[in-house]
Amino acid sequence: MGLEINFRASHVATQVGAVVLLVTFLLYVVGFATNGWAYSKTGSIKKGLWKICLCSNGSFGSKTCICTDLIEKDDIDLPDWYKAVRACAVIAFLFLIWTMGCTMMSMFITLKPSIRLASIAFAIFAGAFILTAIVLFRVKLFEGGGDDIYDLQYSYYLCTTVVVIIFVILIPLLVVGHIKTQSNLAAVGIAHQGFVISAPGHTAPSYGQQGMAYPMMSYPTEHGYTGVMYPMSSHPVGYGHQGLPYPITSYPAGYGRHGVLNPITSHPPEYGNHGDANTAI
């Protein structure tokens, strides 16, 4: 199925979910990478997941900060809980990327329900790991009187907002999109990659040779020679020689010599010599 057909078959909830997912990803990248997870109440220290900054007040109220990477070295002893927060944040970042990949695939490449379910699962895991990271960071930062020294800052609150968006908006949209897309495919009778989809009150796709399901584009298909189903693009087909279907363009066609169907373009045909169809002018 083409990109346009897959996009039109996907439900609007999935399409809105893709937009929400993009915004969520951008917010998380900012919170994940910047140095505003915590700052000291004196304003002299700023902490991120990857850097720590020492700041001093300059002239005219300006502030100058010198940042250094938070890596294990002689003057920096990085605690295990900080490493755990980092690990959870990185895993969540990967899950968000996989969520975006599966969501785009489900909208443009394939209508397999497993891809939509995978995007939902990846979104849940991403939210769970971000939640673990922010809870662990807050608990350990304020442990032992740390709340008298530090306050949380914008990067932390961005990641908190991302968690809320994932669980309150994104996941419900992806779930509704999956359910509605599945129902829509069943309603229009699309069989994709050999899977027959049916729903109560709707007619399932016809079967071709050996009971295999063949996808259709827009209109129902007819059965040709030996029961093999031939798809058509816009108009019903007629039966010609040996029951093989021949497409027509706009008006019903007449049958030519030996029962072979001759298509016409604009007007009903007149019959000429030996029953051949001649296009009327």
Side-chain angles (χ1 to χ4, degrees):
M1 303 178 72
L3 296 178
E4 181 182 356
I5 295 175
N6 277 279
F7 181 78
R8 291 172 62 185
S10 62
H11 192 261
V12 65
T14 301
Q15 299 167 11
V16 174
V19 177
V20 173
L21 177 58
L22 178 60
V23 174
T24 302
F25 180 76
L26 294 177
L27 290 176
Y28 183 68
V29 167
V30 175
F32 174 77
T34 51
N35 303 322
W37 277 68
Y39 71 103
S40 64
K41 293 186 176 182
T42 62
S44 60
I45 299 175
K46 291 174 63 177
K47 280 187 176 183
L49 293 183
W50 314 102
K51 291 180 181 292
I52 184 170
C53 302
L54 300 178
C55 303
S56 60
N57 293 324
S59 57
F60 305 106
S62 63
K63 181 173 286 188
T64 303
C65 295
I66 300 175
C67 299
T68 183
D69 293 332
L70 276 174
I71 56 177
E72 292 282 3
K73 53 185 181 179
D74 295 339
D75 56 337
I76 296 179
D77 183 18
L78 197 62
D80 291 337
W81 69 265
Y82 220 94
K83 297 176 184 178
V85 171
R86 280 178 166 185
C88 289
V90 170
I91 294 172
F93 179 77
L94 295 176
F95 273 123
L96 278 178
I97 292 177
W98 295 336
T99 304
M100 292 183 65
C102 288
T103 303
M104 293 300 105
M105 285 180 62
S106 69
M107 289 174 56
F108 296 106
I109 298 177
T110 177
L111 293 175
K112 283 185 177 180
S114 58
I115 301 299
R116 295 193 299 275
L117 291 174
S119 66
I120 295 170
F122 289 150
I124 293 173
F125 284 127
F129 276 101
I130 299 173
L131 181 61
T132 302
I134 62 177
V135 169
L136 181 60
F137 186 87
R138 184 187 183 98
V139 169
K140 289 297 183 179
L141 183 70
F142 293 159
E143 192 176 57
D147 54 341
D148 295 329
I149 303 174
Y150 290 103
D151 278 329
L152 300 172
Q153 209 178 14
Y154 67 94
S155 300
Y156 179 89
Y157 290 119
L158 275 178
C159 292
T160 304
T161 303
V162 166
V163 173
V164 174
I165 293 174
I166 288 176
F167 285 110
V168 177
I169 302 176
L170 177 61
I171 293 176
L173 281 173
L174 294 180
V175 170
V176 171
H178 166 67
I179 296 173
K180 295 296 185 180
T181 299
Q182 197 74 356
S183 300
N184 183 48
L185 294 178
V188 299
I190 294 179
H192 188 58
Q193 294 189 357
F195 291 96
V196 178
I197 306 171
S198 61
H202 298 286
T203 303
S206 300
Y207 294 87
Q209 191 173 18
Q210 298 178 345
M212 294 297 292
Y214 291 78
M216 61 183 183
M217 303 295 291
S218 58
Y219 289 84
T221 57
E222 300 290 346
H223 293 278
Y225 185 58
T226 64
V228 178
M229 188 171 70
Y230 292 83
M232 61 180 184
S233 56
S234 58
H235 295 278
V237 296
Y239 290 95
H241 186 55
Q242 296 180 337
L244 294 176
Y246 291 82
I248 59 176
T249 55
S250 58
Y251 289 88
Y255 291 91
R257 182 178 297 176
H258 305 301
V260 177
L261 182 66
N262 296 304
I264 60 174
T265 56
S266 57
H267 297 282
E270 299 292 340
Y271 291 93
N273 191 26
H274 303 296
D276 291 335
N278 298 312
T279 305
I281 298 189

